[in-house]
Amino acid sequence: MTVRAASSVLVGRHRELVTLHDALSRAGRGEPATVLVGGEAGVGKTRLLEDFAAGATGAGARVLVGQCLELGESGLPFAPFAAALRAVLRADGPEVFAGYEAEFARLLPELGRTPTASTTSGAGPLTDAPRGYLFDLVAELFQRLADARPLLLVIEDLHWADRSTRDLIGFLVRAARPGRLLLVCTYRTDELQRGHPLRPFLAELDRARGVERVELGRLDRDGTGAILADLLGGEPSPRAVDDIHDRTQGNPFFIEELAAAGDPLGCVALPETLRDLLLARVDRLPESAQRVLRIAAAGGTRFAHDLLAEVAGMPEAELEDALRAAVAAQLVVADPDGDYEFRHALVREAVHDELLPGEHARLHARFAAAIEAQPHLVVAGRAPAEIAHHWYAAHDHPRALVAARVAACAAADRYAYAEQRRLLERALELWELVPDAADLLGMDHLALLEETLDAAVTAGDFSRAITLTRAGLAEVDADSAPLRAARLFDQRGRLMALLGKSDGRRELDEAYRLASASPRGVERVRLLADIATHLVKIDREKAAQVAAEATVDAEAIGEELILLPTRIALLCHQEWQEHGLDELDRAEAVARAAGDTSALVLAKVFQSDVLCELGRYAESAEAAEAGLAEARRVGISRSTGAYLLSNRAEALIALGRWDEAETVCAEAARIDLSGVTGLHWLQLGAGLRLARAHPTADELVARALAFLGRPYLWPNHRLPLHELGIEAALAADDTTEAVRAARVAVADQSLPQLPREGWPVLSAVARTAARTGDRELAAAVAALAADLPARHPAPRAHRAQVGALLAADDEALPAWRAAVLAWRADGQPYPLGRALLALAEAAAAAGERDEVSAAVTEVVEIARRLGATPLAETATTLARRVGLRGAGPGAAGPDLLTSREREVLRLVAEGHSNSRIAEQLFISPKTASVHVSRIIAKLDVTNRGEAAALAHRLGLLAEPAVTA
């Protein structure tokens, strides 16, 4: 009986197939859909996906497949996407890339050789643009493909993925939403040991909308029997099924291997270990075929025929015979492109692990030498990473050193900065093992370290970058190379602030000391400009001094444009009046004329921020949107441009366009900025969701407030977090926490220097003092408010609001009327709604029922428009408490409380017990108790004390008005 090496039936996967087809249906309707398929090696992930892909193709979907390479974290960036796009190029031609062939050539180098790439206008390489630009282009391409028909993108072996591949997958899942796309990724669960980078990545994806996990388990005994029956062409004996199932625990690949390794009828004499099992059929091959498999195993799971021939050095006929034997044994399979692949990665791993140490080094060295001599033997663009991998595996340290840096440069060209950093760190690791390393690389060790530091910063690996600055400062000779030392201090100071470790002032001061003592030149000007830009948030006067010194140098050498970003930053951090915008507009014009788009985008960042501070919210939103368009055009929408997203969100919130603001915050969130750079959108988004009582509000608030635990935050970041913490505690009715957070806030030494951020904090603290009756807190607010400037509409409205919150009862109504007028002048609907609600309470206490009705009606409409559920509920409760039936002036309905209930409430407010109330009103104690219970229910309070306090505040103890 002939035993097939692989089963032709899919067993026990009906539920998983249904899940996948359901996901494809959702994707076809344009809904977000991602499925993560996990399982141990050999459990049948690829087999499941092959069956599903065949069904998807039959249903009219387009299928693209990419596989991650075993080179791992330091390997070829974006390998699975390159494979998928290569299939698109073959099927659709270069025209499918819509004029962006030069940009896509970073993934598919062969595109750089197409005539279209060289002639299309506007397709020149953007070597300084970050990878976010490339991500957008990939997403847009997938969207165009998905517009034609549903698109299924399969990424296999995610456990081997490099960080850039993971980041692009994360972008497609969380940010891009490219139309009718179903993304399916497979990974080995048994590879995810503690510390594996895929584990936190999967956890992040789990939180995204439309993401599902499918865990493939092992087969039961019946499933094992079904596979054996298919393999053997007949029913196996029960004993054989039991034996195989016990040995394999239902792993399909192991079932196939055991069936092929033992007696076809009884499946006896089975190998004892997994390694022996996987090598059993290899050992039955001719010696020449075994030798070819050992050579191929050093090349990876997939290998090209021409490359294998070059490395093997065998006559072509002998090589073909050996491959034919391996294919016949189904250890290797041929693909349509004429290349080969081990049927399962486990087979390749077992063969590779059998190599002797010397054999291992020689084979990898031969692969490296062959690819170096003939790069076309591997897929275009893969040569640098392959060469670096093989020389490193061959333990040829000098060649591995050089190859690692070449591969790092290639990774940077593909915007794969994390892989660039890892490859450069490998070069640093090898440096000590290579005596002439400096000559081989044409740089000293410090230069290599500086290059690694720059890559780490660009990749957003700030913690690693901090460590590299420490290493650089330990190595640099500040006396002979002051500018190099100054640059390291400058970078370290900025990183310390970004990570919330300190303000970085000590490092920046040292950087300035070293730079100012250096000879004039372009490098010194650039460094002084950077230092001034970083200092401006800490010490404006010192920043201006450093900038002035840089300006003198720049004018002397004719390099004034270098200072443009610094001048823009200094402009933004001055005390603003309306005419100050003219200077910022002129800086923007200079940047535009000079073609300095980075400075132009920076100008838009500050312009939108300043307009928001001035209360010109619509203009702020428009400026941010215009800046985003420029940022996207040059590929910095996910770096400098990210600040424009949070600025636009802030303006939209102020305008009451909350749904748009939610969308913008979500886009900013998906960029996942490092350190404190993403805090602005997080604080805005948390406040927005808190105001809407969104189910995720608590989680977002907690994430934002966690930043207060860092040793340092810039004051303009810290103060809004104080406000958020107080508002969150008040929303949860946790007055103890609100008072604690309020006391911390008023003790913040930066509050008196920052009116824009300080006034909202004072409003929150005053609200806490009013609710809790904390006189000490109220006095602290009053003292701070007396000296805090209020030059612009929002601060002026906050000042009026603070005055109303602290006003005595007989002054509350006119104070709240003034606050409402101030918020109307500012134009923000949400704080206006809150002020109107407070006005309604004050009017109720004063017996102004028409004013109560008008205010409540407006509050309800504002809350409905914003989706501010708590505000609407509070307004509705107030209307019920004061006996309002409808909305609008004069629409007061019957009083909420009956005349008898008012009498009872008056006695409750005087502190009488139910027995005493019964005596006073000549009723039974039981009847008095019923009245009290009804009053508590109608007023929506929890006890007699709250009922009495509310009655005093809302004027419910007065006699009802008599209508004619």
Side-chain angles (χ1 to χ4, degrees), residues 780-812:
V781 173
L784 287 166
D787 297 325
L788 194 62
R791 299 186 180 92
H792 308 305
R796 286 196 288 265
H798 277 293
R799 180 174 61 189
Q801 181 169 276
V802 167
L805 285 163
L806 301 181
D809 290 346
D810 58 343
E811 299 173 353

Side-chain angles (χ1 to χ4, degrees), residues 454-479:
D454 290 341
V457 171
T458 308
D461 296 329
F462 292 165
S463 294
R464 184 59 183 160
I466 282 274
T467 302
L468 290 167
T469 60
R470 186 186 306 118
L473 288 169
E475 183 172 333
V476 68
D477 184 347
D479 294 330

Side-chain angles (χ1 to χ4, degrees), residues 404-597:
R405 183 158 185 273
V406 171
C409 293
D413 193 48
R414 297 168 79 106
Y415 307 141
Y417 305 117
E419 288 66 39
Q420 178 197 14
R421 193 264 296 172
R422 290 190 184 90
L423 286 160
L424 289 172
E425 290 206 351
R426 177 186 291 177
L428 288 170
E429 168 198 330
L430 292 166
W431 185 283
E432 301 300 328
L433 304 175
V434 181
D436 56 346
D439 294 334
L440 288 172
L441 293 185
M443 59 169 55
D444 60 22
H445 185 267
L446 181 58
L448 179 60
L449 197 151
E450 290 167 334
E451 192 173 316
T452 310
L453 169 60
D454 290 341
V457 171
T458 308
D461 296 329
F462 292 165
S463 294
R464 184 59 183 160
I466 282 274
T467 302
L468 290 167
T469 60
R470 186 186 306 118
L473 288 169
E475 183 172 333
V476 68
D477 184 347
D479 294 330
S480 60
L483 282 177
R484 293 180 83 173
R487 183 171 183 269
L488 286 167
F489 274 114
D490 176 46
Q491 287 179 297
R492 184 172 177 83
R494 181 165 61 96
L495 289 165
M496 294 290 280
L498 286 172
L499 287 174
K501 292 179 177 291
S502 76
D503 62 3
R505 178 63 185 268
R506 185 178 65 83
E507 289 81 5
L508 292 173
D509 283 346
E510 182 63 14
Y512 171 64
R513 185 187 70 79
L514 290 167
S516 60
S518 302
R520 282 182 175 176
V522 173
E523 186 180 354
R524 180 176 184 264
V525 171
R526 290 186 188 278
L527 188 52
L528 288 173
D530 282 345
I531 294 169
T533 302
H534 301 156
L535 273 173
V536 75
K537 285 189 176 183
I538 307 167
D539 186 337
R540 295 179 190 174
E541 291 184 7
K542 182 63 177 288
Q545 174 194 333
V546 177
E549 187 173 337
T551 300
V552 172
D553 282 7
E555 290 173 349
I557 61 176
E559 293 286 351
E560 292 93 336
L561 283 176
I562 293 176
L563 292 172
L564 189 55
T566 304
R567 286 172 177 162
I568 292 170
L570 287 170
L571 279 173
C572 186
H573 286 83
Q574 67 182 29
E575 292 296 333
W576 278 100
Q577 300 297 330
E578 295 282 341
H579 67 271
L581 275 173
D582 295 340
E583 298 179 55
L584 197 52
D585 290 341
R586 283 194 290 272
E588 177 193 343
V590 170
R592 195 181 296 277
D596 189 343
T597 310

Side-chain angles (χ1 to χ4, degrees), residues 69-257:
L69 304 179
E70 297 147 284
L71 305 183
E73 289 286 293
S74 300
L76 180 66
F78 307 115
F81 287 99
L85 294 178
R86 191 165 284 113
V88 173
L89 175 61
R90 284 197 299 264
D92 299 58
E95 295 79 15
V96 75
F97 298 105
Y100 292 98
E101 290 84 353
E103 286 82 354
F104 278 102
R106 296 181 185 278
L107 295 180
L108 298 177
E110 55 265 44
L111 275 174
R113 299 191 292 270
T114 62
T116 309
S118 60
T119 59
T120 303
S121 63
L126 301 173
T127 54
D128 294 329
R131 60 185 181 162
Y133 181 61
L134 184 64
F135 285 13
D136 288 333
L137 291 178
V138 171
E140 289 168 8
L141 172 61
F142 286 152
Q143 183 162 7
R144 291 197 301 274
L145 296 176
D147 286 343
R149 53 178 169 147
L151 180 63
L152 168 60
L153 176 61
V154 178
I155 305 293
E156 293 199 83
D157 297 324
L158 199 56
H159 51 279
W160 286 331
D162 57 280
R163 178 175 148 184
S164 291
T165 293
R166 294 195 301 271
D167 288 347
L168 181 48
I169 289 171
F171 176 74
L172 292 175
V173 171
R174 297 191 298 262
R177 305 294 189 206
R180 299 186 298 168
L181 168 70
L182 170 60
L183 177 62
V184 180
C185 303
T186 69
Y187 62 95
R188 285 192 200 169
T189 52
D190 49 331
E191 290 279 345
L192 304 189
Q193 69 275 10
R194 191 172 184 178
H196 195 290
L198 188 59
R199 293 179 70 171
F201 178 68
L202 292 175
E204 290 174 17
L205 293 187
D206 281 338
R207 293 194 291 268
R209 179 171 166 240
V211 175
E212 292 182 87
R213 284 227 213 179
V214 171
E215 295 287 342
L216 287 190
R218 298 175 179 179
L219 300 177
D220 58 17
R221 183 188 180 283
D222 291 342
T224 300
I227 288 183
L228 286 174
D230 180 64
L231 292 171
L232 302 175
E235 288 296 323
S237 67
R239 177 184 163 220
V241 175
D242 289 339
D243 196 6
I244 292 284
H245 187 68
D246 288 345
R247 297 287 299 282
T248 65
Q249 295 296 302
N251 183 295
F253 177 69
F254 298 164
I255 294 169
E256 293 171 352
E257 290 299 307

Side-chain angles (χ1 to χ4, degrees), residues 826-881:
D826 175 65
Q828 296 189 58
Y830 183 63
L832 171 61
R834 300 180 81 180
L836 281 165
L837 187 60
L839 172 63
E841 288 196 4
E848 300 288 345
R849 292 176 62 80
D850 282 354
E851 191 168 6
V852 176
S853 178
V856 168
T857 299
E858 189 174 357
V859 172
V860 170
E861 174 55 27
I862 289 172
R864 182 198 61 76
R865 192 168 67 248
L866 297 178
T869 304
L871 182 62
E873 290 175 347
T874 306
T876 303
T877 300
L878 175 63
R880 186 174 65 254
R881 284 170 171 171

Side-chain angles (χ1 to χ4, degrees), residues 597-598 600-609 620-632 636-652 664-665 667-668 671 673 677 680-681 684:
T597 310
S598 294
L600 173 61
V601 171
L602 188 64
K604 285 295 183 183
V605 170
F606 290 134
Q607 188 182 67
S608 59
D609 186 53
S620 173
E622 290 169 5
E625 182 58 32
L628 281 167
E630 294 288 350
R632 292 184 182 110
I636 56 174
S637 59
R638 293 169 57 82
S639 52
T640 307
Y643 296 103
L644 288 163
L645 286 172
S646 57
N647 284 358
R648 179 166 168 76
E650 185 175 15
L652 291 172
V664 174
C665 281
E667 186 178 349
I671 294 176
L673 296 167
T677 51
H680 189 207
W681 80 260
L684 291 171

